[in-house]
Amino acid sequence: MLEMDRRAFVGAAAIGGVTAAVLASSTAEAAGQSGYFVIAEIVSKKDKADELRALMVPFAEVAAKEPGCLTYTLLEVIAEPGRFLTFERW
């Protein structure tokens, strides 16, 4: 297996991410789903999961009602309490 330093790996991942975003955007436009998509991961320390959840759930409800927000989905990984994923479409 080839060895790759962290900087090269991060650079390759960034280029791959940008490429995927461009292709997804092109596909979305062709399907009539233009706009902006945001995917985020928010992870708390294990002992702070309840506190983060108490902040994230009400925030998701408010964010979903923001002007221009078409979708706002908040997910928590069952096997990893305190690890949240958001999917937004604007």
Side-chain angles (χ1 to χ4, degrees), residues 15-16 39 78:
I15 290 171
I39 299 172
I78 293 172

Side-chain angles (χ1 to χ4, degrees), residues 50-74:
D50 292 336
E51 291 177 37
L52 182 58
R53 187 179 306 106
L55 293 171
M56 293 297 298
V57 171
F59 176 81
E61 293 170 356
V62 171
K65 297 175 185 171
E66 288 284 326
C69 182
L70 302 173
T71 303
Y72 191 102
T73 304
L74 174 66

Side-chain angles (χ1 to χ4, degrees), residues 8-19:
F9 176 78
V10 171
I15 290 171
V18 168
T19 302

Side-chain angles (χ1 to χ4, degrees), residues 19-63:
T19 302
V22 168
L23 291 174
S25 176
S26 298
T27 303
E29 280 188 50
Q33 298 177 347
S34 61
Y36 296 97
F37 296 84
V38 179
I39 299 172
E41 177 182 38
I42 302 117
V43 182
S44 72
K45 293 181 180 180
K46 290 182 182 185
D47 61 329
K48 300 290 184 179
D50 292 336
E51 291 177 37
L52 182 58
R53 187 179 306 106
L55 293 171
M56 293 297 298
V57 171
F59 176 81
E61 293 170 356
V62 171

